[in-house]
Amino acid sequence: MNTKKDIIVLTGAGQIGMAIARRMGHGKKIFVADWKLENANTITQIMKEAGFDTVPFEVDISSRTSILGLIEAAQEEGEISMFINAAGVSPSQASIEQILKVDLYGTALLLEEFGKVIRQGGTGITISSQSGHRMPALSPEVDRQLALTPTEELLDLEVLKTENINDTLHAYQMAKRCNVKRVMAEAVKWGERGARVNSISPGIIITPLALDEINGPRGDFYKNMFAKCPAGRPGPADEVANVAELLLSDRGAFITGADFLIDGGSTASYFYGPLQPETN
């Protein structure tokens, strides 16, 4: 009979999620979950060939039933010790409704359900975005609503009604701002189990999706962004994994409910440098 292992659950079978899972996955069983099973199979195969114990799984993060099915399957193999959420859709990929349903509501669902089952001493991380840092500050009341509204009521908030969302980029910014606020609120609940959860807000990270964006209709916007940021370049997924490794390991034991902006300084340049909207 197989000995039960510590389980890592990764949602979002892409380059960032894989980079983090490879960094943290030695000796653990890794569930690689994605809404497209072919994506999960691809990442699973790459990791298997590098010596990791991986299992592909199909999940729709905007469905509580689907998430609970993933959790049940993972728990049959062992205790969930680590959760990595790198799933989401982008402003040029999806409609306002899809972005709010997947990136905002779906992330809230994941944080809620994995917070109920993460083992004592477990850790979690969700990948947000620099986009959430680009909007002006919201009111304390709206921040509190985004943080604490019961998950099933989130999309009914006045601020998230489609008539109050300008376009898909605005929807994405709201979703990512909400991710950070939910992580703060969930960190309090996770702490009752002796567990921690944080978020990372990457800038332009080179992935197949980012390459599509850079080579697509908004390509000049992205090229200008990384050319005029202090780092002068986009980042590889492994640089996100560097920070994730700190947050998910014992070395980050005093860090929870926090968000880490990893964008080569592009947000700094947006507010105080050559990327300021009025100077573009």
Side-chain angles (χ1 to χ4, degrees):
M1 188 173 177
N2 289 337
T3 307
K4 289 202 166 187
K5 288 188 174 183
D6 279 350
I7 305 297
I8 295 178
V9 176
L10 165 64
T11 48
Q15 294 296 317
I16 292 176
M18 180 172 67
I20 298 169
R22 285 175 69 114
R23 197 70 63 90
M24 307 306 300
H26 175 71
K28 299 181 174 70
K29 192 177 194 77
I30 306 164
F31 276 72
V32 179
D34 197 275
W35 74 286
K36 280 188 176 174
L37 190 57
E38 63 188 285
N39 293 347
N41 284 330
T42 298
I43 296 298
T44 295
Q45 190 60 31
I46 292 169
M47 293 188 69
K48 270 186 191 297
E49 289 170 358
F52 293 95
D53 182 2
T54 49
V55 179
F57 204 90
E58 188 173 354
V59 70
D60 172 5
I61 69 164
S62 68
S63 160
R64 191 182 296 270
T65 302
S66 185
I67 290 169
L68 291 174
L70 169 61
I71 288 171
E72 184 181 357
Q75 286 182 315
E76 285 174 6
E77 301 290 335
E79 273 194 303
I80 299 172
S81 65
M82 197 172 289
F83 169 60
I84 302 160
N85 175 39
V89 292
S90 77
S92 54
Q93 265 187 329
S95 66
I96 289 172
E97 291 80 5
Q98 285 174 307
I99 289 166
L100 295 177
K101 184 80 171 170
V102 175
D103 290 12
L104 191 148
Y105 170 77
T107 298
L109 267 182
L110 289 167
L111 292 169
E112 177 186 344
E113 290 299 342
F114 277 90
K116 294 174 184 175
V117 298
I118 195 82
R119 76 157 198 208
Q120 174 87 18
T123 52
I125 198 164
T126 191
I127 301 300
S128 187
S129 168
Q130 65 175 356
S131 284
H133 293 261
R134 296 288 174 96
M135 287 193 306
L138 301 173
S139 71
E141 180 190 1
V142 170
D143 277 344
R144 191 170 178 81
Q145 288 173 348
L146 293 176
L148 297 175
T149 299
T151 308
E152 294 307 321
E153 297 169 23
L154 258 176
L155 295 180
D156 296 325
L157 289 174
E158 188 68 25
V159 72
L160 296 178
K161 289 186 176 169
T162 51
E163 60 266 28
N164 295 322
I165 301 289
N166 302 330
D167 51 29
T168 58
L169 179 59
H170 184 209
Y172 189 72
Q173 290 175 325
M174 287 298 296
K176 297 307 181 178
R177 183 70 65 88
C178 183
N179 293 168
V180 171
K181 298 302 175 186
R182 296 306 277 196
V183 162
M184 292 178 77
E186 284 292 338
V188 179
K189 298 174 187 175
W190 284 48
E192 293 168 5
R193 301 177 64 87
R196 300 184 295 106
V197 62
N198 293 287
S199 61
I200 291 177
S201 291
I204 301 172
I205 305 297
I206 295 300
T207 63
L209 174 62
L211 289 171
D212 283 347
E213 295 276 4
I214 289 166
N215 295 317
R218 300 179 75 224
D220 287 345
F221 169 81
Y222 289 99
K223 289 171 188 169
N224 183 58
M225 189 187 299
F226 61 72
K228 291 183 178 176
C229 76
R233 61 173 177 86
D238 287 278
E239 289 188 303
V240 179
N242 289 340
V243 176
E245 183 177 14
L246 167 67
L247 298 177
L248 292 168
S249 71
D250 289 342
R251 287 184 296 163
F254 199 51
I255 307 171
T256 193
D259 178 65
F260 290 78
L261 182 62
I262 306 175
D263 68 349
S266 62
T267 299
S269 186
Y270 177 83
F271 283 109
Y272 308 119
L275 283 175
Q276 289 176 81
E278 63 270 25
T279 64
N280 285 353

